[in-house]
Amino acid sequence: MILFQMRSIPAVLLILFVFWDATNGFLIQSSNKLFSSQAPRGLHLKRQTSPRFQRLVTQAKLGAIIFACDGVLVDSERDGHRVALNAALKEVRPDLECSVEEYGRLLQVRGEEKLSRLWDEMGWDGMNMDLAIQIYNRKSEIFTKMLEDKKLPIRPGVLSLVDEAIAAGIPLAVCSSNTQKNVELIIESMGPQRAKHFSIFAGGRVVHRKPSPDIYNLCKGSLSLHSEDVVIIEDDLVGLQAAKAAHCACLITKSTYSVNDDFKTADLVVDDLKKGEVDLNTVSRLPLSMVGVNA
């Protein structure tokens, strides 16, 4: 073991331990981080590119990836709930169908009076609260059956990022206000070899829902994670607010009904993980502990 003092950072002396690995070359390690940055001036090390080294570096940068569920893993409102609503409508009002745009309007409305006015605007003559409740309950049953039958497509880019994280040994979790059963079904639709790597924190585990950070704080505490080493992937403003209240970096992958949200406090915003070319290297640069350090 050779001891060096790194004097290139003003007012700070970093004591680094340099180990020689007969297979992979030099590894530069501090007490709790691995750096792939340039060697101290005057010290010439072999550039390290082996898969084993890259895995160690990624692990040092990234404590965990925490996914929201609805809107992130699946576009559940557009591809799930809306589809289930139309199936339920056909059973009692085959003349009615809810478009993508109309469903987005329904999501924004609360209260019987406002709903009645919107139904009139949409041409849903004869719709009332009793019938709406009947349709809603049936929609929920159909949606659950869709999950059991794995009918909701996983959003683009999710599986490749999950596979990279698993290969690198990065902990994975899902935090959602959805039910435990529904979240489990969505995770299981990725395949058993992926599902077994996820920790799930779902509805009922905390009192306050997002934008409260409670579900993320529960996850961090349960998995012994530090906020500054975590990246949360969300899809809407409420989720972003929860992630930031938990003092974590947040990557936004927009969903169908969140494209107009204000994401200015997000660390990275993409339309989806595939279009944004988001891979593990991208995510590993986002933790707050890496700001200004090898980022």
Side-chain angles (χ1 to χ4, degrees):
M1 182 177 71
I2 308 172
L3 181 65
F4 294 93
Q5 285 192 329
M6 189 173 181
R7 302 180 182 274
S8 58
I9 300 177
V12 178
L13 295 180
L14 298 179
I15 299 178
L16 302 177
F17 298 94
V18 180
F19 297 90
W20 175 255
D21 183 303
T23 302
N24 295 313
F26 279 106
L27 301 181
I28 304 179
Q29 185 175 28
S30 70
S31 59
N32 62 353
K33 294 283 183 182
L34 285 175
F35 295 90
S36 61
S37 56
Q38 295 180 348
R41 186 174 300 174
L43 176 63
H44 302 284
L45 302 182
K46 179 182 178 181
R47 185 173 181 83
Q48 185 53 259
T49 58
S50 74
R52 177 174 177 266
F53 180 79
Q54 293 298 333
R55 175 173 173 171
L56 288 170
V57 170
T58 301
Q59 287 175 318
K61 290 182 178 182
L62 187 58
I65 302 175
I66 304 176
F67 294 84
C69 184
D70 298 288
V72 173
L73 300 180
V74 294
D75 201 338
S76 51
E77 296 293 358
R78 183 194 66 192
D79 298 333
H81 291 290
R82 186 187 66 86
V83 174
L85 173 62
N86 281 329
L89 279 171
K90 285 186 180 300
E91 295 179 359
V92 294
R93 289 289 303 273
D95 57 313
L96 299 181
E97 185 173 0
C98 189
S99 68
V100 172
E101 186 272 334
E102 287 172 336
Y103 192 78
R105 296 175 67 189
L106 285 173
L107 289 175
Q108 302 302 316
V109 174
R110 296 291 184 273
E112 183 173 351
E113 183 177 341
K114 291 181 179 180
L115 276 171
S116 296
R117 187 159 54 247
L118 179 57
W119 291 331
D120 290 340
E121 293 174 5
M122 292 166 56
W124 289 20
D125 299 330
M127 183 62 68
N128 56 64
M129 287 304 297
D130 289 340
L131 181 57
I133 291 171
Q134 175 188 338
I135 293 171
Y136 176 83
N137 290 335
R138 179 65 180 131
K139 176 189 80 83
S140 297
E141 295 173 353
I142 295 171
F143 178 73
T144 299
K145 186 68 166 61
M146 290 176 65
L147 292 179
E148 292 171 345
D149 293 342
K150 299 178 174 57
K151 292 290 182 66
L152 267 69
I154 299 297
R155 291 194 65 193
V158 169
L159 295 182
S160 59
L161 177 58
V162 167
D163 289 343
E164 281 190 279
I166 291 172
I170 305 300
L172 299 171
V174 173
C175 290
S176 174
S177 57
N178 205 333
T179 65
Q180 180 79 17
K181 178 182 178 182
N182 284 355
V183 175
E184 288 176 354
L185 288 171
I186 291 171
I187 297 298
E188 289 167 4
S189 72
M190 297 183 185
Q193 293 306 311
R194 296 185 180 101
K196 68 183 182 180
H197 290 280
F198 280 89
S199 300
I200 298 175
F201 300 85
R205 297 287 297 273
V206 295
V207 174
H208 302 107
R209 297 169 57 137
K210 301 172 188 177
S212 164
D214 289 3
I215 191 71
Y216 287 127
N217 289 336
L218 174 64
C219 175
K220 290 185 298 175
S222 299
L223 301 181
S224 300
L225 301 172
H226 297 289
S227 298
E228 62 271 20
D229 298 326
V230 170
V231 173
I232 294 172
I233 303 181
E234 275 283 1
D235 75 301
D236 61 13
L237 179 58
V238 169
L240 172 60
Q241 291 170 336
K244 287 304 176 181
H247 308 293
C248 295
C250 184
L251 187 164
I252 291 291
T253 173
K254 297 178 183 177
S255 57
T256 299
Y257 300 113
S258 72
V259 291
N260 295 320
D261 285 2
D262 181 2
F263 296 125
K264 64 176 177 290
T265 61
D267 297 274
L268 179 63
V269 181
V270 296
D271 290 332
D272 65 47
L273 298 180
K274 184 176 182 179
K275 288 180 180 177
E277 299 181 344
V278 174
D279 58 12
L280 190 59
N281 183 57
T282 306
V283 177
S284 70
R285 295 174 181 271
L286 297 179
L288 301 182
S289 61
M290 294 309 300
V291 173
V293 182
N294 194 35

